Amino acid sequence: MNVTLKNDRFLRALRRQAVDKTPVWMMRQAGRYLPEYRATREKAGDFITLCQTPELACEVTLQPLERYPLDAAILFSDILTIPDAMGLQLELIESVGPVFHKPINSYNDIKQLPMPDPEQELAYVMDAVRLIRKELDGSVPLIGFAGSPWTLATYMVEGRSSRDFGKIKKWLYSAPEEIHHLLSHVANSVASYLNAQIHAGAQAIMIFDTWGGTLTGPAYKAFSLAYMQQIVEQLDRGYLGDHIPVILFSKGAGLWIVDIAATGCDAVGLDWTQDIGLIREAIGHQVALQGNMDPAILKAPSERIREEVGNILASFGKGSGHVFNLGHGITPDIDPEHAGAFINAVHELSEQYHTD
Ligand code: CP3
């Protein structure tokens, strides 16, 4: 059954139905650029406790929505909750980033990986989804998410953020079947995790493939895209009679956009290196597009931000099928007023593209 939303622009644009304005949200919209986020994180003590405490995760999810007229909320969590639930022991170390204390070193480690039950080990995520839905009270839709199997595997094998992905690439090129085994296990686990989010109340799903673009074309298709497609096929998109849209975002995958659109997803996320107008011409009849302003433009004065928003809207052109976003996450150094100028510019400048 369809739940009535006060603002359904985001879901309508994903379905390429008419909208009054282009909807907008920002990747990492709940994050360190907001002083209220830093205060809640301080209260939690550390990032993982923040993710694991549904009341606090709900609080930070809602913070950007209290400040700005955003068209969607995104669950506050992290893509690394799944490997943590598999026992790899996640810690977020200041100035290093996420670290796994028990990374994957051997085929034996892969074969022994457990399959977390989303309503057990990851119940804190589902509790957060249920609480956020209750608090949102139908104001805007809630996006659930997970990392792509490939992106999760890079952290699981490298043990932390990597510059060159030397360990996983050596493994992939030497014993590809072992990496396929890992990816297949992670893909099944991501699919069951995302289905649990849908059942808990997520109204759209996004898969973050931050590191897909570091692969060669053939390797991208075999080791990243194939597993995202498998997840798209496994999702319970008809839950409660709604069509739950799925957005796939592979950073740096501009050359393979046509292949991404062919997976059966509803929308493709674009990073800022891509030309949204050209991509719309190529695949806009098939899927919606999400993106794609360079997050660094938020460092510039408001007039420059507004100009860039105008350029991207003009490049996409008239009609629905565009969800405005940054081409990657907002960074901690951004002035919250600049983020506000960005969001207002999207709403104000886009109206002209949605009149008959
Ligand atoms: O978009 C949102 O507002 C929802 C929350 C969200 C976070 N991480 C919160 C977070 C989402 C969707 C993610 C996804 C995520 N996490 C990705 C994929 C998207 C991307 O940005 O490429 C990746 C690669 C991760 C892994 C991860 N988590 C890294 C590399 C880091 C450290 C870098 C950083 O920005 O500090 C994190 C920590 C993290 N995840 C923070 C937040 C708000 C910062 C934590 C803090 O210091 O408070």
Side-chain angles (χ1 to χ4, degrees):
M1 202 183 65
N2 264 293
V3 181
T4 315
L5 278 162
K6 292 178 193 97
N7 172 355
D8 64 352
R9 246 180 231 135
F10 168 74
L11 294 178
R12 291 186 64 84
L14 288 174
R15 298 174 183 139
R16 290 174 294 148
Q17 296 164 335
V19 287
D20 58 339
K21 296 170 190 174
T22 302
V24 56
W25 68 280
M26 297 184 293
M27 287 191 259
R28 291 280 177 97
Q29 63 192 20
R32 280 169 300 182
Y33 74 105
L34 290 177
E36 56 271 36
Y37 170 84
R38 297 197 297 271
T40 310
R41 188 188 192 277
E42 188 84 9
K43 189 164 76 181
D46 63 83
F47 174 70
I48 293 166
T49 307
L50 179 55
C51 290
Q52 294 183 342
T53 313
E55 293 72 24
L56 297 180
C58 176
E59 182 178 309
V60 293
T61 298
L62 301 178
Q63 285 170 348
L65 292 127
E66 279 149 24
R67 252 186 202 260
Y68 314 117
L70 290 156
D71 296 297
I74 179 161
L75 161 70
F76 185 83
S77 188
D78 199 83
I79 62 167
L80 302 177
T81 53
I82 289 185
D84 184 55
M86 289 178 176
L88 273 64
Q89 294 184 3
L90 173 65
E91 189 187 351
L92 188 72
I93 301 178
E94 217 65 60
S95 79
V96 176
V99 171
F100 284 117
H101 292 292
K102 292 187 167 175
I104 292 180
N105 291 314
S106 66
Y107 189 38
N108 218 26
D109 289 347
I110 294 176
K111 285 187 288 192
Q112 284 175 4
L113 279 174
M115 183 72 71
D117 177 341
E119 286 288 1
Q120 293 293 328
E121 294 92 318
L122 292 159
Y124 65 88
V125 177
M126 308 313 147
D127 289 341
V129 170
R130 287 184 275 262
L131 187 59
I132 297 163
R133 271 299 300 276
K134 185 163 153 264
E135 294 294 320
L136 282 172
D137 193 25
S139 52
V140 290
L142 175 63
I143 307 167
F145 72 90
S148 74
W150 167 253
T151 292
L152 291 177
T154 64
Y155 287 99
M156 294 168 77
V157 170
E158 300 288 340
R160 58 182 64 206
S161 302
S162 170
R163 204 174 271 275
D164 58 5
F165 304 96
K167 186 175 166 193
I168 193 168
K169 284 195 173 184
K170 176 182 177 190
W171 201 343
L172 181 160
Y173 288 120
S174 317
E177 65 292 346
E178 296 183 4
I179 294 297
H180 277 303
H181 187 143
L182 172 62
L183 292 167
S184 162
H185 181 82
V186 174
N188 286 330
S189 161
V190 168
S192 96
Y193 178 66
L194 289 175
N195 277 331
Q197 289 186 30
I198 290 173
H199 301 150
Q203 291 153 295
I205 292 294
M206 175 152 166
I207 300 179
F208 287 88
D209 183 32
T210 310
W211 303 122
T214 62
L215 290 165
T216 65
Y220 171 74
K221 286 167 202 163
F223 293 90
S224 179
L225 191 61
Y227 292 97
M228 289 197 284
Q229 169 147 18
Q230 187 184 310
I231 294 165
V232 168
E233 287 162 4
Q234 287 176 29
L235 290 183
D236 192 1
R237 285 197 279 174
Y239 186 62
L240 295 180
D242 287 338
H243 177 76
I244 312 272
V246 181
I247 308 162
L248 297 186
F249 172 61
S250 283
K251 186 164 168 275
L255 293 171
W256 315 311
I257 290 292
V258 171
D259 306 278
I260 301 173
T263 55
C265 65
D266 299 275
V268 177
L270 307 178
D271 68 40
W272 65 90
T273 63
Q274 302 171 40
D275 182 323
I276 197 167
L278 287 180
I279 289 173
R280 187 187 190 190
E281 276 174 37
I283 59 166
H285 57 288
Q286 232 177 320
V287 289
L289 302 177
Q290 178 173 277
N292 69 337
M293 193 177 89
D294 184 350
I297 290 174
L298 295 178
K299 297 175 202 274
S302 313
E303 308 78 66
R304 180 66 189 89
I305 295 169
R306 204 176 162 84
E307 180 192 340
E308 191 68 15
V309 166
N311 292 342
I312 293 169
L313 288 169
S315 173
F316 184 86
K318 269 189 164 271
S320 188
H322 183 199
V323 172
F324 217 112
N325 205 316
L326 303 172
H328 199 206
I330 185 169
T331 50
D333 57 338
I334 297 304
D335 178 342
E337 288 199 13
H338 289 210
F342 162 69
I343 291 152
N344 290 336
V346 173
H347 283 156
E348 288 163 23
L349 300 175
S350 64
E351 267 179 280
Q352 59 179 304
Y353 295 99
H354 299 288
T355 50
D356 296 325

